[in-house]
Amino acid sequence: MAVQPGNILEIDALSVTYRVRGKTVRAMNAASLTVRDGEAVGLVGESGSGKSTLARVSLGLIPRKIARIESGRILIAGRDATRFSETEWESLRGDPVAMVFQDPLTYLNPVMRVGPQIAESVRRHTPELPLDQRVEELLELVKLPSVVTRAYPHELSGGMRQRALLAVALGCRPRLLIADEPTTALDVTTQAEILALLKDLRRRLGMAMLLISHDLGIVASACERIYVMYAGHTIEWGGAGAVFQTPAHPYTVGLLRAAHAVRNAEGRFATIAGDPPNLAELPPGCPFVPRCSHALAECSRDMPERFDARSGDPHSVRCWLYEKPGLGFDRAGTG
Amino acid sequence: MRAYLLARLGWAVPIVIAILIINFLIIHLVPGDPIQALVGDFPTPPGYAEQIRKEYGLDQPLLTQLWLYLVNLAGGNLGFSFANRQPVLPLILDRARFTLLLMLPALTCAAVLGVVLALAAAPRAGSLYDSSVTAISLIGFSVPIFWLGQILIIAFAIKLRWLPAQGMISLRETLTGWAAVADVLWHLVLPGFSVTIYYIAVVARVARASVLDALSQDFVLTAKAKGLSGRYVLWRHVLPNALIPVATVIGYNFGYSLTGAILVETVFAWPGIGNLFIASIGNRDYPVLQGIFLLTAVAVVLANVVTDMLYAVLDPRVRGSYGKNA
């Protein structure tokens, strides 16, 4: 695949394994994902689907001792960073790619005031700007009062901490902001505030965003394109509307039904039957086979490269059901 | 901050009093008669021993003796040393200086070197360098200090004749000014080294574990995600968070350092508190022993208070627990 201009992040068939207690866990299996400059992309999937690994590998933050990139490539602003050393990664972190994390309390240094933690980003990436003024600007940007500079993380509320963490990331002036479950640790009203702030900032600063969440609603409301991950594979991707309204992969269909709290014939909430796969013992083929009521013979053999999901939009799915024209299954009624 | 300090000091007072009473009682349970030790095994006129016993108030009931002791303490009188024929307080304070001269530099060096070793080792956990630091600190921790001291004396004082074997000053010459200072430092090298080795091992073990723990914390990822270098993250983010357990160990050992030097002071004939302590046990010199116990107890309690203060300096969450304006 040729390097395309305008792609800030390009993950190309990337496989990552962890060695844990003698076992090899496949966290990412030939997963691909592209974020263009200025674009908001969502990544959804359940716990253990490889979302966070994808986020971290994009900043070279996977633990080198146990993690290994088996195959595939990571391109950041056109540079192949797949085999980068720790020092080379340092030149990419913050600018062009910055990151905010899930739990804003543990991701801020507890013994350092908030101001200096933001100032570190400024000094590292824009040393030419007046430091205090720039910190003030950043706080204003995330709608925090300037007294917060002198506060310690434990003195702030969860929402304020997430804003502070956001200011730390924005202080780097990133072209791409990766937000890994940025609202999961917050209560519902604060979630909405942070989400609105993220959308607003992205528009004002013109940066690209990769929003990672297990919550389809959050991703659908903030992103233009969506990727769905399952067991380390990117199984479906396309425009937010297309994926949300006409989900193609049986897993996505089930996920949406569960998220909408649809009751089935017995009046129970819809769930996806079975358990998530054991990543240490993945069978060949599609990892969803054991839970899929539409599985074909070829599904257990290998995973298709990609098929058009035929929703009328650019929308792709890695599922054999879409190989032949004419759908073999009813999108609305499966689970 | 002030409320925190007062609360800590408030707790220290009853602890010191309790230690005092317990020590007073324990020492009277030890077999042996101080009058016997003072008079010696010579035949004495009848009533002589009784007269001395009366002179020192040792014929009084135990509770009266305790009461007298406490009253005297309140007036700064720690009693009179039978063996040394001088008041206990100046005697102890005089010897404490020499112990501090030995222990303070040793503990300071050990704290700094132990932490630096740990900072270098922990990020490369499992490497050859890290394993060597772990192995060496295990050895330093396990080797008996008196054995190490004697090996050092044999090697550097007897075989190589580079350094003096014992004492704090050269007895054969009268030195003044800088020459005297240099002479003391010269005598300090071997005992200081023995103590430092042990404490480096103690500090390095704890520091390595707490640096490793801090390295695995989430905020390290945030710091790295800003594009900060590994070395900067280690010194600016990891170290301040790793120092709290280290402060505990250093504070704890500092409190005990006054008597902790007993072995080294005996091996090197260093005229500190430890040396006085051993001599006083031999002489059944109760007032001196009680004085040393008291000094140690106060030192341990004060070291704890200082350690608690240090927590508050190192960790804003500790400060916060005593109210915003504290």
Side-chain angles (χ1 to χ4, degrees), chain B residues 4-60:
Chain B
Y4 180 75
L5 177 73
L6 287 178
R8 292 287 148 201
L9 282 174
W11 270 109
V13 174
I15 293 174
V16 171
I17 292 173
I19 289 168
L20 231 128
I21 293 171
I22 291 168
N23 277 333
F24 178 85
L25 295 177
I26 282 179
I27 209 153
H28 278 79
L29 295 176
V30 177
D33 183 0
I35 302 300
Q36 193 64 49
L38 198 64
V39 171
D41 288 330
F42 306 106
T44 48
Y48 177 65
E50 280 315 302
Q51 190 197 326
I52 293 178
R53 198 179 297 276
K54 202 163 190 164
E55 192 184 316
Y56 287 114
L58 291 175
D59 58 337
Q60 307 274 344

Side-chain angles (χ1 to χ4, degrees), chain A residues 56 59 61 65 86 89-91 93-95 97-99 101 103 106-113 116-118 120-121 123-125 152 154-155 165 168 172, chain B residues 122-126 212 217-232 236-238 240-241 244 313-321 324:
Chain A
R56 279 167 198 204
L59 266 183
L61 286 175
K65 243 172 251 158
E86 183 65 17
W89 269 114
E90 276 164 21
S91 69
R93 290 181 190 149
D95 177 18
V97 184
M99 190 155 167
F101 299 88
D103 186 338
T106 59
Y107 281 96
L108 285 167
N109 186 340
V111 305
M112 201 171 172
R113 289 179 203 275
Q117 300 198 45
I118 299 172
E120 280 181 345
S121 302
R123 263 203 309 271
R124 165 74 177 79
H125 295 284
Y152 285 100
H154 73 273
E155 296 169 323
L165 211 51
V168 166
C172 304
Chain B
R124 283 171 261 171
L212 264 184
Q217 300 284 315
D218 291 337
F219 61 80
V220 172
L221 275 187
T222 308
K224 282 187 177 171
K226 290 179 209 176
L228 302 172
S229 72
R231 176 178 299 214
Y232 179 93
R236 188 74 181 84
H237 289 270
V238 172
N241 278 279
I244 294 162
V313 172
L314 291 174
D315 192 342
R317 288 166 295 186
V318 174
R319 265 170 282 172
S321 63
K324 281 249 153 56

Side-chain angles (χ1 to χ4, degrees), chain B residues 234-253:
Chain B
L234 191 64
W235 285 90
R236 188 74 181 84
H237 289 270
V238 172
L239 178 61
N241 278 279
L243 276 182
I244 294 162
V246 176
T248 311
V249 174
I250 294 172
Y252 171 87
N253 281 295

Side-chain angles (χ1 to χ4, degrees), chain A:
Chain A
M1 185 156 62
V3 175
Q4 287 171 16
N7 283 351
I8 177 67
L9 173 67
E10 214 173 312
I11 290 181
D12 181 16
L14 196 69
S15 294
V16 176
T17 56
Y18 292 115
R19 294 283 302 172
V20 185
R21 274 181 243 109
K23 279 188 178 168
T24 303
V25 176
R26 307 184 63 84
M28 281 176 71
N29 288 300
S32 299
L33 179 147
T34 304
V35 183
R36 292 180 210 106
D37 261 322
E39 181 189 37
V41 172
L43 177 60
V44 282
E46 59 199 16
S47 309
S49 62
K51 304 181 305 260
S52 285
T53 300
L54 190 145
R56 279 167 198 204
V57 84
S58 309
L59 266 183
L61 286 175
I62 49 172
R64 279 172 186 263
K65 243 172 251 158
I66 57 165
R68 224 176 89 90
I69 294 177
E70 302 285 343
S71 58
R73 292 193 307 166
I74 312 162
L75 297 165
I76 290 175
R79 286 171 74 187
D80 188 340
T82 319
R83 302 279 160 220
F84 266 14
S85 69
E86 183 65 17
T87 336
E88 286 170 302
W89 269 114
E90 276 164 21
S91 69
L92 294 177
R93 290 181 190 149
D95 177 18
V97 184
M99 190 155 167
V100 288
F101 299 88
Q102 176 170 354
D103 186 338
L105 179 57
T106 59
Y107 281 96
L108 285 167
N109 186 340
V111 305
M112 201 171 172
R113 289 179 203 275
V114 171
Q117 300 198 45
I118 299 172
E120 280 181 345
S121 302
V122 178
R123 263 203 309 271
R124 165 74 177 79
H125 295 284
T126 49
E128 70 281 2
L129 297 180
L131 188 64
D132 293 344
Q133 196 188 319
R134 176 75 180 136
V135 171
E136 292 267 319
E137 255 173 51
L138 287 162
L139 286 173
E140 214 170 292
L141 209 55
V142 297
K143 301 190 172 70
L144 278 176
S146 58
V147 289
V148 167
T149 46
R150 297 197 43 77
Y152 285 100
H154 73 273
E155 296 169 323
L156 305 179
S157 71
M160 289 170 96
R161 283 179 205 138
Q162 193 55 274
R163 286 167 197 268
L165 211 51
L166 201 50
V168 166
L170 295 177
C172 304
R173 287 219 171 141
R175 275 167 67 190
L176 167 64
L177 179 70
I178 300 179
D180 187 5
E181 302 264 8
T183 61
T184 306
L186 306 172
D187 62 66
V188 180
T189 40
T190 319
Q191 277 187 10
E193 280 172 31
I194 294 290
L195 204 61
L197 179 65
L198 274 174
K199 287 190 228 174
D200 176 51
L201 285 171
R202 191 181 77 77
R203 213 180 38 245
R204 282 166 63 187
L205 304 175
M207 62 182 178
M209 179 168 76
L210 176 58
L211 179 61
I212 298 170
S213 179
H214 64 278
D215 187 330
L216 281 163
I218 284 177
V219 166
S221 76
C223 301
E224 291 139 25
R225 288 195 307 125
I226 292 181
Y227 285 80
V228 181
M229 266 189 112
Y230 184 77
H233 297 78
T234 36
I235 54 163
E236 178 171 357
W237 59 98
V243 174
F244 209 62
Q245 254 113 57
T246 50
H249 198 282
Y251 170 71
T252 317
V253 174
L255 194 66
L256 275 166
R257 284 162 55 84
H260 290 160
V262 178
R263 286 174 197 270
N264 61 16
E266 292 122 62
R268 301 177 58 167
F269 285 120
T271 54
I272 301 175
D275 297 310
N278 180 352
L279 295 178
E281 288 158 20
L282 278 184
C286 175
F288 193 61
V289 167
R291 304 169 79 181
C292 183
S293 46
H294 307 282
L296 309 168
E298 49 263 55
C299 292
S300 311
R301 213 169 45 234
D302 56 3
M303 190 106 176
E305 191 68 25
R306 65 166 281 275
F307 293 118
D308 182 23
R310 280 167 274 154
S311 60
D313 290 299
H315 183 178
S316 304
V317 61
R318 299 185 66 184
C319 176
W320 287 112
L321 294 173
Y322 295 83
E323 186 187 19
K324 300 180 190 81
L327 269 185
F329 93 117
D330 164 26
R331 272 174 173 152
T334 35

